[in-house]
DNA sequence: ATTACTGCCC
């Protein structure tokens, strides 16, 4: 708005030789009749001031130009008003010119002129200039100058600089005002400088500055932000008058540390007290809701609050919008989050960023990419945070081609991605089977943090590289970083995947002593998985019974799976009974026990279990495989014939199967479905989804090209064996990602060493 | 005849 004002003020510039606006080439209007020409300065100053007070910035400036033409030199009164006029125009080059005028007429160190200049430069967000003026003031600096300067440090988030300035102010003997102390307290709150802030609190009392609504509000905020809500509450309770600011601070304070009920009670008390909540209030109260994690039944009161937000006409507010998105998203209500998002109708990057991140967290990667495309269509510039979310979306979708495209695009938009985005890229490349690229990405992080190392160790664990994971762990320690629970979990999982039982047990036993991390449920689950898969089923069950957590059914399922692998029917049946009692409607439990029987050749019993399952109307999760060819993802089911090239795919697959049969592949019928006739059993193995995906990959790419295949369930033993042979006869590397780990097939062998 | 400093959201 200020700029359009400038345009009406200044004559059009010469098109060939545009010059910046300045005082010299101004053409003034001719109707001077309205402007008298007083011969002494005071009436001029009064007139300029009057115009400014009335909001007539243009008239104020014009009057000043008239004064210059009259030849009367301006004084400090003129200049201080003029500076505040220019400040409102928000034109930095005009600002520099009035600064120059102040120097020219010798008033640059005068208190009022300098104060105005500091204020002006502060409003232009050029703190260096403000500081230069301030430093030039020497003795003329008043408490207003100090306050302006300290406030400017605080609003530039240079909190310790603000505190330092306050110290200087005390040293030169300038007495603080309530304004000073509120800025100082804000610094303390941000720096979590508890004892300094408390000293200031004492000053507030000693100097008799209370009651003062602003100062008390800052005090509430200070105590809450330093984690001492009770102290904040104390200040709040002693306040004579509470306005919307003070209530907001109190509600915010409660919600920030998860006092959800307290926050709600404040909210209600506030409304009872006749104070209308504003957008800050709603935001604070929604933040309280957002802190609740995994609350599948979003409390009714928050739907009511959303209703109030709509009624108050605040749905378009970007802060409210992001809060609503966060609340719904965390509670797995993505549909509602999307509605709140559409209600904002916003082009604000942060709003889009929250929505994209919400979709990714709810595992709707494709939707995240759709949103991104829509966002680009609106010419909203993505930031590093959005890119990070998108990389995770691609990781989740295993969509490497799209991921690379977005990675490439990010170079065009952003100079360098932050380390969070690089961590996401690492995960993406790894998850899509590009281990080398993931490691390169790690190396490109100039100052890797804990999260970067954690991601790297997790990547190495998933790819079955325990030695490399241990090395990364040691590198991390030599970087001076202390491992957290995630680091240790990832390292345990590296040992688990590789079957390094004694290393795993050793690390598990030393977690608390060596690294000060108490094993959590996940650590126990990892070790139990490791023991069970290694055949130490009794030991695994022993640990389940003695761990300080209640085992989830999924833990028993791990044991049951291991019983199948190690053909332990005795424990298998016991565990299956327990599981079916706990979760009578979970199909996997029936499938697992049926597999235990099948592996032992007890096909009739296996069949009975499957019938039982079918009678209950339960269906096992369908096995699916994906392969990405030329930026398109192709999905296959078992015996899938939906692909247009289906005939070619089946021909190729039959050809491949016949070839590997002659190189020593033997079908393992224990992996077949058991309700089909004996003679069809072998053949049904041929058309498992991952084999179809592989055959499609072979006919769709050139010779020797590495193929990457994804699967939603764990790879079956027969496919694992077939893929080893495939890698040999097609001379291709094959990467198969199942829901547990990566298998790199090459020259007839798999990276997992057949241990998975 | 003059300037101006403070509180609550992603």
């Amino acid at each position: 708005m200020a700029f359009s004002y400038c345009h009406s003020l200044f004559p059009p510039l010469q098109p060939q030789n545009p010059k910046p606006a300045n005082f010299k080439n101004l053409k003034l209007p001719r109707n001077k009749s309205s402007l008298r020409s007083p011969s002494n300065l005071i009436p001029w100053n009064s007139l300029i001031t009057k115009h400014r007070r009335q909001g007539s910035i243009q008239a104020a400036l014009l009057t000043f130009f008239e004064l210059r033409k009259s030849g009367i030199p301006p004084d400090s009164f003129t200049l201080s008003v003029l500076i505040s006029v220019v400040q409102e125009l928000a034109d930095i080059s005009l600002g520099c010119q009035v600064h120059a005028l102040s120097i020219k007429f010798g008033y640059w160190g005068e208190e009022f002129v300098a104060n105005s200049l500091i204020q002006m430069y502060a409003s232009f967000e050029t703190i260096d200039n403000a500081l230069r003026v301030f430093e030039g003031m020497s003795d003329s600096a008043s408490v207003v100058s100090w306050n302006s300067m300290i406030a400017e440090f605080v609003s530039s988030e240079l909190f310790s600089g603000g505190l330092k300035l306050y110290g200087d102010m005390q040293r030169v003997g300038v007495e603080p005002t309530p304004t000073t102390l509120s800025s100082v307290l804000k610094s303390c709150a941000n720096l979590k400088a508890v004892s300094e802030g408390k000293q200031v609190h004492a000053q507030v009392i000693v100097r008799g500055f209370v009651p003062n609504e602003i100062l008390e509000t800052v005090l509430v905020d200070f105590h809450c932000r330093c984690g001492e809500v009770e102290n904040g509450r104390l200040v709040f309770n002693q306040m004579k008058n509470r306005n919307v600011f003070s209530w907001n601070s109190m509600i915010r304070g409660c919600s920030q540390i998860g006092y959800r009920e307290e926050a709600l009670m404040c909210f209600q008390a506030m409304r009872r007290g006749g104070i209308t909540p504003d957008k800050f209030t709603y935001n604070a109260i929604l933040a309280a809701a957002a802190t609740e994690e995994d609350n599948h039944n979003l409390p009714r009161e928050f739907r009511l609050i959303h209703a109030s937000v709509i009624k108050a006409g605040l749905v378009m507010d970007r802060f409210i919008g992001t809060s609503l998105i966060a609340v719904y998203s965390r509670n797995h209500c993505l549909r509602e989050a999307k509605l709140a998002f559409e209600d904002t109708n916003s082009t604000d990057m942060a709003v889009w960023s929250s929505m994209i991140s919400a979709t990714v967290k709810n595992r709707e990667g494709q939707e995240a990419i759709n949103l991104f495309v829509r966002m680009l269509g609106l010419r909203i510039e993505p930031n590093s945070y959005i890119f990070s979310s998108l990389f995770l979306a691609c990781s989740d979708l295993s969509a490497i081609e799209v991921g690379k495209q977005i990675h490439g695009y990010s170079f065009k938009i952003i100079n360098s991605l932050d380390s969070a985005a690089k961590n996401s890229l690492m995960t993406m490349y790894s998850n899509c089977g590009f281990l080398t690229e993931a490691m390169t990405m790690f190396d490109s992080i100039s100052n890797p943090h804990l999260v970067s190392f954690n991601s790297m160790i997790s990547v190495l664990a998933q790819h079955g590289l325990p030695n490399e994971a241990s090395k990364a762990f040691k590198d991390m320690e030599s970087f001076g970083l202390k491992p957290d629970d995630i680091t240790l979990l990832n390292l345990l999982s590296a040992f688990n995947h590789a079957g390094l039982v004694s290393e795993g047990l050793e690390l598990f036993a030393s977690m608390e002593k060596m690294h000060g991390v108490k094993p959590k449920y996940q650590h126990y689950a990892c070790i139990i998985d490791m023991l069970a898969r290694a055949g130490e089923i009794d030991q695994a069950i022993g640990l389940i019974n003695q761990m300080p957590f209640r085992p989830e059914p999924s833990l028993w399922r791990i044991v049951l799976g291991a019983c199948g692998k190690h053909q332990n029917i005795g424990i298998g049946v016991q565990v299956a009974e327990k599981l079916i009692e706990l979760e009578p409607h979970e199909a996997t439990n029936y499938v697992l026990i049926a597999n235990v029987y099948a592996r032992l050749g007890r096909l009739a019993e296996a069949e009975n279990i499957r019938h039982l399952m079918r009678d209950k109307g339960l269906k096992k999760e369908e096995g699916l495989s994906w392969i990405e060819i030329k930026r398109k993802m192709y999905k296959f089911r078992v015996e899938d014939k939906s692909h247009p090239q289906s005939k070619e795919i089946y021909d190729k697959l039959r050809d491949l199967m016949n070839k590997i049969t002659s190189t020593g592949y033997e079908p393992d019928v224990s992996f077949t479905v058991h309700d089909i006739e004996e003679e069809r059993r072998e053949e049904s193995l041929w058309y498992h989804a991952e084999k179809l995906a592989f055959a499609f990959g072979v006919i769709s790419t050139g010779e020797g090209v590495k193929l990457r295949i994804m699967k939603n369930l764990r790879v079956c033993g027969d496919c694992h064996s077939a893929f080893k042979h495939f890698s040999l006869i097609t001379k291709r590397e094959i990467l198969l990602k199942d829901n547990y780990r990566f298998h790199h097939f090459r020259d007839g062998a798999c990276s997992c060493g057949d241990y998975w």
Side-chain angles (χ1 to χ4, degrees), chain A residues 627 694 697-698 701 705-709 732-735:
Chain A
I627 184 165
F694 176 71
V698 171
T701 57
V705 172
K706 184 171 178 177
L707 295 176
R708 292 176 170 81
I709 296 163
R732 285 176 189 255
E733 279 184 55
I734 310 161
L735 187 120

Side-chain angles (χ1 to χ4, degrees), chain A residues 20-198:
Chain A
N22 73 44
F23 291 119
K24 280 184 195 153
N25 59 17
L26 281 173
K27 287 205 183 76
L28 295 168
R30 310 216 170 248
N31 57 335
K32 290 184 199 160
S33 56
S34 63
L35 290 170
R36 284 167 301 276
S37 296
S39 57
N40 89 21
L41 188 56
I42 292 174
W44 284 98
N45 289 347
S46 309
L47 190 57
I48 298 172
T49 306
K50 188 181 150 206
H51 285 316
R52 188 176 100 79
R53 288 239 172 94
Q54 288 170 348
S56 319
I57 300 299
Q58 188 176 22
L61 257 189
L62 285 174
T63 313
F64 176 74
F65 298 148
E66 283 296 317
L67 169 66
R68 293 291 293 127
K69 275 175 74 185
S70 76
I72 305 172
D75 66 357
S76 67
F77 290 86
T78 328
L79 289 166
S80 53
V81 187
L82 180 69
I83 293 163
S84 66
V85 166
V86 168
Q87 180 185 323
E88 285 176 60
L89 286 171
D91 182 327
I92 191 152
S93 91
L94 273 183
C96 292
Q97 289 177 59
V98 292
H99 189 177
L101 276 178
S102 313
I103 296 169
K104 181 175 170 187
F105 289 103
Y107 296 110
W108 56 275
E110 199 276 338
E111 186 199 333
F112 279 53
V113 172
N115 282 351
S116 298
L117 282 170
I118 292 172
Q119 202 43 48
M120 179 190 79
Y121 282 127
S123 81
F124 295 165
E125 291 174 3
T126 51
I127 190 167
D128 292 356
N129 288 336
L131 197 59
R132 216 164 297 152
V133 175
F134 178 72
E135 281 167 349
M137 289 178 85
S138 55
D139 318 336
S140 62
S142 68
V143 68
V144 171
S145 329
W146 285 97
N147 286 352
S148 300
M149 210 54 238
I150 294 173
E152 182 46 21
F153 269 85
V154 174
S155 67
S156 306
E157 299 188 336
L158 299 166
F159 304 112
S160 39
L163 286 191
K164 198 180 155 293
L165 215 52
Y166 175 57
D168 293 343
M169 172 178 163
Q170 285 174 306
R171 252 182 303 271
V172 297
V174 176
E175 294 292 317
T177 63
T179 305
T180 325
L181 297 189
S182 47
S183 292
V184 172
L185 276 167
K186 194 174 171 181
S187 294
C188 292
N190 278 287
L191 294 167
K192 306 269 181 291
V194 184
S195 69
E196 288 86 346
K198 284 183 177 170

Side-chain angles (χ1 to χ4, degrees), chain A residues 319-564:
Chain A
F319 291 102
I320 299 279
T322 48
S323 294
L324 282 170
I325 293 166
V327 173
Y328 283 119
S329 153
R330 283 219 202 173
N331 292 288
H332 312 285
C333 305
L334 192 63
R335 206 178 60 87
E336 282 91 338
K338 188 81 190 297
L339 290 174
F341 167 73
E342 299 296 352
D343 277 348
T344 64
N345 199 17
S346 172
T347 54
D348 182 76
M349 205 244 329
V351 175
W352 283 79
S353 172
S354 327
M355 191 61 229
I356 289 175
S357 152
T359 29
V360 176
K361 282 182 188 140
N362 283 278
R363 308 206 58 178
E364 294 285 343
Q366 184 58 53
E367 176 65 8
I369 292 166
N370 296 345
L371 280 166
F372 178 61
V373 172
R374 205 175 122 195
M375 175 179 160
L376 293 182
L378 292 168
R379 308 204 174 275
I380 304 168
E381 281 234 327
N383 62 0
S384 199
Y385 191 82
I386 289 183
F387 280 115
S388 174
S389 295
L390 289 165
F391 297 144
L392 291 178
C394 294
S395 171
D396 206 33
L397 296 166
S398 294
I400 190 62
E401 294 300 330
V402 178
K404 279 185 189 168
Q405 221 182 335
I406 297 174
H407 184 190
Y409 183 71
S410 76
F411 285 109
K412 271 170 74 177
I413 305 293
I414 290 181
N415 289 334
S416 72
L417 293 166
D418 62 19
S419 53
K422 285 185 175 174
N423 289 340
S424 305
L425 269 174
M426 223 160 82
T427 307
M428 178 185 90
Y429 279 112
S430 162
N431 238 347
C432 296
F434 290 77
L435 181 59
T436 319
E437 284 78 358
M439 289 164 90
T440 310
M441 192 48 64
F442 177 76
D443 291 338
S444 82
I445 301 174
S446 51
N447 187 17
H449 290 288
L450 183 65
V451 179
S452 316
F453 276 105
N454 284 356
S455 309
M456 191 69 241
I457 295 171
S458 155
V459 164
L460 295 166
Q462 278 189 318
H463 285 271
L465 297 165
N467 297 332
E468 286 78 358
S470 293
K471 192 185 165 298
F473 181 73
K474 289 198 188 85
D475 287 350
M476 177 184 140
E477 287 189 311
S478 65
F479 243 73
L481 293 168
K482 263 176 71 77
D484 68 356
D485 54 326
I486 311 277
T487 323
L488 296 174
L489 182 64
N490 292 343
L491 192 55
L492 282 175
S493 134
F495 294 141
N496 177 9
H497 281 300
L500 300 177
V501 177
S502 59
E503 284 85 346
L505 286 175
E506 197 185 320
L507 177 63
F508 182 67
S510 70
M511 277 176 65
E512 200 162 357
K513 270 201 312 280
M514 294 271 293
H515 308 292
V517 176
K518 210 173 165 174
K520 293 186 177 172
Y521 180 83
Q522 283 90 338
H523 299 99
Y524 278 95
C526 183
I527 286 295
I528 289 160
D529 184 30
M530 182 185 79
L531 288 168
R533 291 183 331 111
E536 304 290 346
I537 294 177
D538 290 326
Q539 226 183 317
I541 292 180
L543 195 53
I544 292 183
N545 290 330
Q546 79 182 66
M547 71 174 181
F549 303 97
R550 199 160 58 95
E552 304 265 330
S554 58
L555 205 48
W556 290 114
R557 247 193 305 282
I558 286 170
V559 176
L560 184 53
C563 287

Side-chain angles (χ1 to χ4, degrees), chain A residues 489-663:
Chain A
L489 182 64
N490 292 343
L491 192 55
L492 282 175
S493 134
F495 294 141
N496 177 9
H497 281 300
L500 300 177
V501 177
S502 59
E503 284 85 346
L505 286 175
E506 197 185 320
L507 177 63
F508 182 67
S510 70
M511 277 176 65
E512 200 162 357
K513 270 201 312 280
M514 294 271 293
H515 308 292
V517 176
K518 210 173 165 174
K520 293 186 177 172
Y521 180 83
Q522 283 90 338
H523 299 99
Y524 278 95
C526 183
I527 286 295
I528 289 160
D529 184 30
M530 182 185 79
L531 288 168
R533 291 183 331 111
E536 304 290 346
I537 294 177
D538 290 326
Q539 226 183 317
I541 292 180
L543 195 53
I544 292 183
N545 290 330
Q546 79 182 66
M547 71 174 181
F549 303 97
R550 199 160 58 95
E552 304 265 330
S554 58
L555 205 48
W556 290 114
R557 247 193 305 282
I558 286 170
V559 176
L560 184 53
C563 287
K565 188 179 169 194
H566 296 285
Q567 309 187 356
N568 191 330
I569 191 78
I571 296 180
V573 169
Q574 282 175 39
V575 173
E577 280 173 359
K578 190 191 278 284
L579 261 175
I580 288 173
E581 191 189 316
L582 286 170
E583 297 177 322
H585 299 297
E586 175 60 56
T588 323
N589 297 336
Y590 298 88
V591 175
L592 283 173
I593 185 66
N595 285 348
V596 179
Y597 283 121
R599 293 296 293 264
L600 285 164
R602 291 160 70 166
L603 299 184
E605 279 144 308
E607 215 43 52
N608 280 342
I609 302 281
R610 285 184 181 272
H611 279 304
L612 181 66
M613 182 177 138
R614 216 151 310 144
D615 292 345
K616 292 185 178 230
L618 301 176
K619 263 195 175 158
K620 145 183 198 210
E621 187 183 350
E622 189 184 18
L624 296 170
S625 278
W626 298 263
I627 184 165
E628 190 179 8
I629 304 278
K630 296 189 184 84
R631 278 184 215 159
K632 220 180 147 200
M633 197 66 86
Y634 295 88
K635 186 161 44 169
F636 293 89
R637 306 182 147 84
V638 183
E639 301 187 24
D640 199 325
K641 294 206 170 62
S642 63
H643 193 281
Q645 285 166 274
S646 200
K647 189 180 174 309
E648 283 175 68
I649 295 170
Y650 276 75
D651 288 348
K652 187 73 204 176
L653 186 52
R654 270 190 287 273
D655 173 43
L656 288 166
M657 292 309 287
N658 286 327
K659 276 193 184 136
I660 63 171
T661 306
S662 66
T663 61

Side-chain angles (χ1 to χ4, degrees), chain A residues 208-227:
Chain A
F209 285 166
V210 277
N212 172 317
E213 282 172 40
I214 294 178
L215 210 34
E216 285 163 313
T217 300
V218 186
L219 279 167
V220 171
D221 193 54
F222 160 73
H223 286 296
C224 290
R225 280 217 255 174
C226 291

